Amino acid sequence: MRENQLKVMLFFKNMAGSGLLIGFTVLIASFFVSGINGEYIFSIGLSVMVSSMLIFGFGLFIHLMEEMAEGSKGIR
């Protein structure tokens, strides 16, 4: 792996990790909110966590496609 690819993967890893941390914090905070706002905050926290997982998966998929494209250049 090249250094540039490692930087990109580290970026996606950090973004996903911070998104999960923020989403988990909001999710836990939603249990202490009373009224109808608790359900909205719960869904916001859950959606932030899911979207950060999707961002990580997207970054991993792009990285794997890039690796396969570089590896197949010698075959063509």
Side-chain angles (χ1 to χ4, degrees), residues 23 25-46:
T25 304
V26 171
L27 188 79
I28 294 299
S30 72
F31 294 125
F32 300 108
V33 176
S34 63
I36 196 161
N37 291 335
E39 294 174 4
Y40 291 126
I41 294 175
F42 179 79
S43 63
I44 289 171
L46 195 61

Side-chain angles (χ1 to χ4, degrees), residues 15-16 19-20 46-59:
M15 288 298 292
L20 281 172
L46 195 61
S47 64
V48 167
M49 289 175 63
V50 169
S51 52
S52 63
M53 288 182 223
L54 288 174
I55 286 173
F56 181 74
F58 177 73

